Amino acid sequence: MLSPKDSPLGKQLGRYVCVRITRMDDVDVGLFDRDWNNTIYFFAMNADEQIYFRYGGRDSASPDTYLNVDSLELALRQGAEMHERGVKLPPRPKALYPREIPLLVQRTFAQRQCVECHLIGDFQNLQREQDGVLDKLTHLYRSPDIKTLGIELDVPKGLVVKQASGAAAAAGMQAGDKIVAWNGAPVLTFGDLQYQYDKVDRKSTKVTAQVERGASLEIALPERWWWTDLRLRQSSVDPRLDFEDRPLSADEKKKFGLPADGFASMVKYVSDFAKIRKTHELRTGDIIYAVDKVERDDLANTAELFLKLRKKAGQAAALSVIRDGKRIEMPLQSYQLSFRK
Amino acid sequence: MKTLGLIFLLAGAGVAAQDDTVEWLGSYRQALQQAKAQHKPLFVEFRCEA
């Protein structure tokens, strides 16, 4: 299938010089920064490398939740109009090249391997961890999900809200609202919105959404607003645990005599790899109520999240578990998924 | 479906374009020069094909 010049999308693309990049070796990854686990991503910019809009972005459910022909056509039209009007844009971001990331050089260039998009993010984080500057909430949990705030977009219409609930509705957001700025930064597409949302300090308690009808809505950020499912990030630096859990309810905690503010959780899935790798001997239905005798955490609401946040891949931990009503101790040995290169 | 259609639409628009299809360059530097010369904006696509 082709994009004919006389199709609606083709007509908009014809207003641009289009270029496709499939190798990242010499690309300015500072200029083209994004969540590197997107399978496809676009930038519209001027010849001074100032960005009109980003197009792309994803959620944990699917790589193409927010990809749509109509919204792309709309963004292209708006970007071209901005170009024709000579709209003033923020300065070009600071340059950063893949060859400036030592671990990436060592594991790809030095081995004559292709620098794939996701490897940029993977090795940036590995480098940060090695340099002691990895902030897991910011660097590991990239691209917070707007659905956590209760924002569901009418995807073909770009940033028009289809349904608002939760924190967004409490702030006054309504179906039909069009989001035009996020924390003061103009946004034209979901890609822009997700990028700006990702830049919000993880310690923030609120975010501001400006909508086209003129309102500036202050949205209270819920607990763990930054959390996303890491399973889409196949080679990230988080400790691999071979189990998944869910938080215990207040009633369940009471029933088992556990603190109401603890992160006790119930194991809901155990990977077959747990036996092969000897990660642990957890079973579905086990309740983990402490890790290394710690039962509470400022951020984590489950043992799994506590381990992801507080342990480095490869570290061991002691789990306190309730199984069939009995309290037992159990070792866990986390591991890091080997990067492909 | 328009979501998946987007990927195929753009994927099919090959670098070596036919006369009636959108032309996609393969060189960022060349595209930047062309955008300057033609006073056009740039549209840059990143996709992994490895």
Side-chain angles (χ1 to χ4, degrees):
Chain A
M1 231 171 133
L2 299 171
S3 296
K5 281 179 180 172
D6 60 356
S7 68
L9 183 62
K11 281 178 186 169
Q12 294 307 322
L13 287 170
R15 299 168 81 176
Y16 292 77
V17 174
C18 299
V19 57
R20 175 171 296 137
I21 298 170
T22 57
R23 286 185 70 95
M24 298 301 297
D25 305 35
D26 298 312
V27 168
D28 180 347
V29 297
L31 171 62
F32 294 111
D33 179 44
R34 60 189 183 278
D35 182 336
W36 297 99
N37 282 99
N38 282 284
T39 50
I40 189 165
Y41 208 91
F42 306 89
F43 289 80
M45 55 201 285
N46 64 24
D48 292 324
E49 300 181 309
Q50 295 170 301
I51 297 166
Y52 290 117
F53 68 84
R54 299 156 175 276
Y55 189 90
R58 61 167 298 163
D59 61 9
S60 301
S62 169
D64 59 9
T65 299
Y66 293 100
L67 302 181
N68 179 272
V69 175
D70 291 341
S71 67
L72 174 60
E73 193 188 315
L74 179 67
L76 286 165
R77 185 182 301 119
Q78 291 173 314
E81 286 167 4
M82 287 169 76
H83 184 75
E84 285 160 11
R85 290 203 311 272
V87 169
K88 197 175 175 200
L89 295 167
R92 174 197 198 289
K94 193 181 169 206
L96 173 71
Y97 290 92
R99 290 174 205 277
E100 295 173 47
I101 306 169
L103 276 175
L104 184 66
V105 172
Q106 191 183 316
R107 307 273 183 91
T108 57
F109 292 107
Q111 296 178 34
R112 297 185 181 182
Q113 302 279 9
C114 175
V115 182
E116 295 163 31
C117 295
H118 72 94
L119 291 176
I120 303 288
D122 296 340
F123 280 104
Q124 274 181 321
N125 277 347
L126 207 57
Q127 189 72 55
R128 285 172 180 133
E129 188 174 55
Q130 185 174 292
D131 297 343
V133 294
L134 179 72
D135 172 3
K136 286 189 175 178
L137 265 51
T138 305
H139 300 130
L140 192 56
Y141 291 92
R142 268 203 97 164
S143 303
D145 193 337
I146 57 168
K147 285 178 183 161
T148 307
L149 301 180
I151 302 174
E152 189 183 336
L153 295 176
D154 191 347
V155 174
K157 295 179 181 170
L159 292 179
V160 173
V161 175
K162 186 176 183 182
Q163 193 177 344
S165 58
M173 190 172 282
Q174 304 162 6
D177 271 341
K178 182 180 174 186
I179 302 168
V180 294
W182 194 258
N183 256 5
V187 290
L188 204 65
T189 64
F190 174 74
D192 291 337
L193 173 55
Q194 191 172 52
Y195 189 73
Q196 293 303 329
Y197 192 22
D198 190 41
K199 286 167 84 171
V200 175
D201 188 320
R202 298 304 191 251
K203 290 181 182 137
S204 294
T205 55
K206 62 184 180 185
V207 70
T208 307
Q210 194 179 331
V211 293
E212 199 173 44
R213 63 184 155 91
S216 189
L217 311 174
E218 204 166 87
I219 304 172
L221 292 168
E223 275 190 300
R224 290 173 289 280
W225 60 272
W226 41 264
W227 184 88
T228 53
D229 191 339
L230 295 180
R231 283 177 297 181
L232 70 94
R233 305 181 190 282
Q234 293 180 354
S235 46
S236 75
V237 297
D238 62 302
R240 299 293 160 136
L241 305 169
D242 288 336
F243 78 90
E244 293 170 21
D245 62 8
R246 65 158 180 85
L248 284 192
S249 67
D251 285 346
E252 287 172 321
K253 284 178 184 171
K254 198 174 173 185
K255 180 183 162 192
F256 291 105
L258 299 171
D261 58 348
F263 57 67
S265 56
M266 182 176 282
V267 177
K268 63 177 185 180
Y269 167 77
V270 176
S271 163
D272 290 340
F273 286 109
K275 274 188 186 171
I276 298 165
R277 295 188 180 111
K278 297 184 170 42
T279 320
H280 52 70
E281 293 182 355
L282 286 167
R283 296 180 197 162
T284 305
D286 282 349
I287 291 163
I288 308 171
Y289 64 93
V291 177
D292 294 337
K293 305 291 182 192
V294 176
E295 296 184 44
R296 298 173 177 86
D297 186 76
D298 291 343
L299 296 171
N301 65 335
T302 65
E304 182 189 5
L305 184 55
F306 178 84
L307 287 158
K308 293 272 184 194
L309 293 176
R310 307 302 179 197
K311 291 286 180 182
K312 194 175 168 184
Q315 286 184 327
L319 306 181
S320 299
V321 175
I322 300 175
R323 176 181 291 168
D324 301 329
K326 291 179 186 168
R327 297 195 175 212
I328 57 173
E329 298 293 311
M330 179 186 300
L332 174 141
Q333 177 61 55
S334 74
Y335 64 95
Q336 185 177 63
L337 198 70
S338 297
F339 284 20
R340 283 205 296 132
K341 303 298 184 199
Chain B
M1 189 175 167
K2 284 196 165 182
T3 301
L4 292 174
L6 168 64
I7 295 172
F8 292 122
L9 269 168
L10 295 166
V15 171
Q18 296 168 12
D19 287 347
D20 59 346
T21 59
V22 175
E23 181 185 15
W24 287 81
L25 301 176
S27 159
Y28 178 67
R29 288 292 143 208
Q30 187 190 342
L32 205 56
Q33 285 169 5
Q34 196 169 311
K36 266 182 191 161
Q38 296 178 1
H39 305 289
K40 277 183 161 185
L42 275 166
F43 190 55
V44 187
E45 177 192 303
F46 289 93
R47 68 164 64 217
C48 271
E49 292 188 341

